[in-house]
């Protein structure tokens, strides 16, 4: 049984790097200069418009927004952000 | 979202097609569940998005897989709707004209196949975005610049095929196309122009070829699926002058347009200028409620307040002048002198040279230097809520009298419909476009219905005045195509003959630009 688990683990794809994916797919709008940060920051204390400064960010909620979009943000197709990549981004934001 | 199957296709046939698609691309890349289909809908739709809801999507990763899918579609009769990355926002996104189509999503064909530094071109696949090509050029130390439209996350190829544009000298993206590879509706692979010569040396260098030229026939088209495209790229210039001219009054429009026209035709101004009205400029700085909280169009006195507080004009022109330093300096002088003749015009130019052009900042002048961005998407936040937006995009001559006529007509209809008028003119040299962004809360049914009514009125009255649109939202493709009916609809009938010959099963993007295959013509 242990050997079986070891073999399974060896053949698992490497975990996607949530931080790198966030940088590649999200930061252009959500970093401190992004227009989405300006929108999210309306009426909030300084810096709270930046997604990485917002808490709580439950992973399930982030995954839903990635697909469905929200407000001015359109959703992302599974060819643009795969389920695995969406999960990695969501987990990294929730950390 | 209510999803229907494509007209004339049974549930059993549809499932058979999906099953065969899975064998071609793998089960992981055929999508039909609601979670995965939501982003393929038109998320900023003027009305019920289910009217254009696709029933499934398929994401091939190679030309061979595209050919396989197209052949299955032809055999089963399941219609496809091709998108490169599906970011045709304000014009329908990824959504098809006809509900039930399967989105043929080419995002995974995302290789930059070649960049030629000396001769200035790139050969790319459909899924390559402006960001990706820009980053590729940065990584490789290229001296070439891309031209990007306002939102840079779209496809280089898709935008060129839709005749999108940017503000740089190579900003007419369709005009930079040189050579394509196309999958036809029977699965045949075609190379256009010089690419038809085996071992061609000039596929991305010479636009003609021998015999009829077909590249432009695949723009805004449903005659084939383009899988490779050659795009000419601009060498980084020695200098760039980022110029602004503000005009104080709405009545200055004709003088502004007439002042610019000769500078464009003579090549003094070689970037594509834009000229925004007050709200077209203000929209990048905040939300409507920052200025006005009542329903109905923002009144003139509030527009004057916005002008004053933002230190802008009623019309705000912006353009780049590119080239060798001495030529740029001289041409800035010519432009300054031309606008000095327009009463109330305020001209300002900032010249950038040398290292500052190698890695310009992403904001400000960066957008004039091939740096893609996404700030243009802020338009969707103007009214808050779900940021519905569509663009009315008529073409006109670069003459003051025409600009005044289409501006007056558009402002009247949009404001009578209760919406804010945000007009931006773009000068392409021998023609101009007026892009009116109509922003609405897509969750507000009454407001959305008003927008639909006023948009049809814009198309109709604009057409009666002689101004046809260059591009439109999927909901209005038939209405706009109806404007192009000279000589008993000779062009429409010509398009249908070609469509029926190339795509007899009617499986490629039915209804795109109002061109329907025989099986779906009423």
């Amino acid at each position: 049984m242990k050997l079986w688990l070891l073999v399974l683990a060896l053949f698992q794809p490497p975990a996607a790097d949530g931080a790198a994916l966030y940088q590649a797919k999200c930061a252009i709008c959500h970093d401190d200069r992004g227009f989405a940060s300006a929108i999210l920051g309306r009426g909030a204390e300084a810096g709270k418009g930046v997604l990485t400064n917002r808490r709580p960010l439950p992973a399930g909620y982030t995954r839903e927004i990635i697909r469905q979009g929200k407000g001015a943000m359109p959703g992302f197709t599974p060819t643009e952000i795969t389920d695995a990549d969406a999960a990695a981004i969501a987990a990294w934001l929730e950390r | 979202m209510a999803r229907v199957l494509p007209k004339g296709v049974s549930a059993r046939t549809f499932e058979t097609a999906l099953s065969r698609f899975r064998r071609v691309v793998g089960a992981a890349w055929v999508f039909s569940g609601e979670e995965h289909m939501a982003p393929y809908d038109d998320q900023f739709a003027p009305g019920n998005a289910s009217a254009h809801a696709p029933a499934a999507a398929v994401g091939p990763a190679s030309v061979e897989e595209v050919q396989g899918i197209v052949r299955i579609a032809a055999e089963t009769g399941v219609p496809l709707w091709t998108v490169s990355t599906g970011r045709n926002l304000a014009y329908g996104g990824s959504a098809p004209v006809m509900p039930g189509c399967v989105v043929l999503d080419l995002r995974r064909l995302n290789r930059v196949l070649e960049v030629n530094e000396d001769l200035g071109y790139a050969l790319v696949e459909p899924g390559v975005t402006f960001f990706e090509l820009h980053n590729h050029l940065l990584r490789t130390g290229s001296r070439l610049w891309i031209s990007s439209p306002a939102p840079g996350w779209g496809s280089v190829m898709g935008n060129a095929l839709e005749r999108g544009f940017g503000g740089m000298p190579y900003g007419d993206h369709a005009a930079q196309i040189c050579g394509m590879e196309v999958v036809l509706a029977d699965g045949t692979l075609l190379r256009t122009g010089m690419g038809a010569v085996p071992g061609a040396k000039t596929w991305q260098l010479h636009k003609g070829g021998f015999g009829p030229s077909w590249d432009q026939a695949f723009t805004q088209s449903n005659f084939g699926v383009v899988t490779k495209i050659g795009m000419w790229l601009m060498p980084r210039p020695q200098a760039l002058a980022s110029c602004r001219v503000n005009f104080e009054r709405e009545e200055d429009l004709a003088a502004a347009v007439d002042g610019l026209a000769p500078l464009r035709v003579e090549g003094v101004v070689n970037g594509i200028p834009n000229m925004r009205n007050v709200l077209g400029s203000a929209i990048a700085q905040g939300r409507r409620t920052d200025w006005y909280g009542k329903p109905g169009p923002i009144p003139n006195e509030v527009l004057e307040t916005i002008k004053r507080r933002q230190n802008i004009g009623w019309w705000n022109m912006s353009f780049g002048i590119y080239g060798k330093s001495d030529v740029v300096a001289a041409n800035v002088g010519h432009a300054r002198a031309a606008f000095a003749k327009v009463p109330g015009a305020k001209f300002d130019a900032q010249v950038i040279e040398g290292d500052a052009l190698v890695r310009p900042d992403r904001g400000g002048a960066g957008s004039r230097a091939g740096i893609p961005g996404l700030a243009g998407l802020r338009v969707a936040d103007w009214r808050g809520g779900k940021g519905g937006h569509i663009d009315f995009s008529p073409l006109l001559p670069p003459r003051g009298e025409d600009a005044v006529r289409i501006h007056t007509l558009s402002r009247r209809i949009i404001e009578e419909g209760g919406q804010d008028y945000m007009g931006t003119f773009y000068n392409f040299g021998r023609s101009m476009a007026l892009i009116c962004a109509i922003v609405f809360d897509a969750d507000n049914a009454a407001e959305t219905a008003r927008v639909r009514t006023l948009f049809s009125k814009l198309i109709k009255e604009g057409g009666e005045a002689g101004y046809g649109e260059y591009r439109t939202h999927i909901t209005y493709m038939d209405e706009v195509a109806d404007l192009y009916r000279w000589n008993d609809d000779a062009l429409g009938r010509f398009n249908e003959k070609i469509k029926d010959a190339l795509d007899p099963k009617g499986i490629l993007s039915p209804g795109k630009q109002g061109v329907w295959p025989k099986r779906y013509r009423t």
Side-chain angles (χ1 to χ4, degrees), chain B residues 26-151:
Chain B
W29 300 107
V30 176
F31 310 104
S32 56
E34 196 51 40
E35 181 201 341
H36 290 127
M37 289 310 297
Y40 289 104
D41 294 328
D42 179 10
Q43 295 168 49
F44 302 123
N48 187 355
S50 63
H52 297 285
V58 56
S62 69
V63 174
E64 292 75 19
E65 289 183 1
V66 174
Q67 289 176 284
I69 289 161
V70 167
R71 287 189 180 114
I72 292 166
E75 286 164 17
T76 58
V78 170
L80 306 169
W81 179 264
T82 308
V83 302
S84 300
T85 60
R87 292 303 194 195
N88 197 18
L89 303 175
Y91 297 104
S94 298
V97 171
M98 191 178 84
C101 287
V102 174
V103 177
L104 177 56
D105 175 354
L106 304 180
R107 177 68 174 101
R108 294 175 68 219
L109 279 85
N110 58 0
R111 293 176 300 164
V112 177
L113 298 165
E114 183 189 357
V115 173
N116 188 305
E117 274 298 299
D118 298 328
L119 296 171
Y121 68 81
L123 180 66
V124 298
E125 292 188 317
V128 174
T129 67
F130 289 97
F131 284 124
E132 288 167 349
L133 182 55
H134 172 67
N135 289 337
H136 176 93
L137 297 175
L138 276 184
R139 271 199 312 275
T140 55
S142 174
R143 66 184 180 96
L144 298 175
W145 279 0
I146 62 167
S147 167
S148 174

Side-chain angles (χ1 to χ4, degrees), chain A residues 43-64:
Chain A
E45 58 183 286
K48 290 294 183 188
V50 178
L51 210 52
T52 49
N53 295 339
R54 291 171 81 86
R55 291 291 179 276
L57 268 180
Y61 176 73
T62 301
R63 284 202 307 273
E64 183 184 322

Side-chain angles (χ1 to χ4, degrees), chain A residues 25 27-29 31 33-35 38-39 42 63 66-80 82-83, chain B residues 29 31 35-36 38-40 43-44 87 89 105 107 131 153 287 289-290 361-363 374 377-378 380-381 385-387:
Chain A
K25 302 287 186 183
I28 184 76
C29 293
D31 73 6
R33 298 167 61 201
F35 86 97
I39 293 172
R42 293 175 71 89
R63 284 202 307 273
I66 287 173
R67 290 282 178 257
Q68 302 280 338
K70 186 174 174 62
M73 172 184 161
F76 286 77
T77 63
T79 56
E80 178 71 40
T82 64
D83 287 346
Chain B
W29 300 107
F31 310 104
E35 181 201 341
H36 290 127
Y40 289 104
Q43 295 168 49
F44 302 123
R87 292 303 194 195
L89 303 175
D105 175 354
R107 177 68 174 101
F131 284 124
W153 59 7
R287 195 175 274 176
T289 47
D290 296 342
D361 192 67
R362 109 180 174 208
L374 286 174
L377 283 179
R378 180 136 196 190
D381 187 51
K386 195 172 176 189

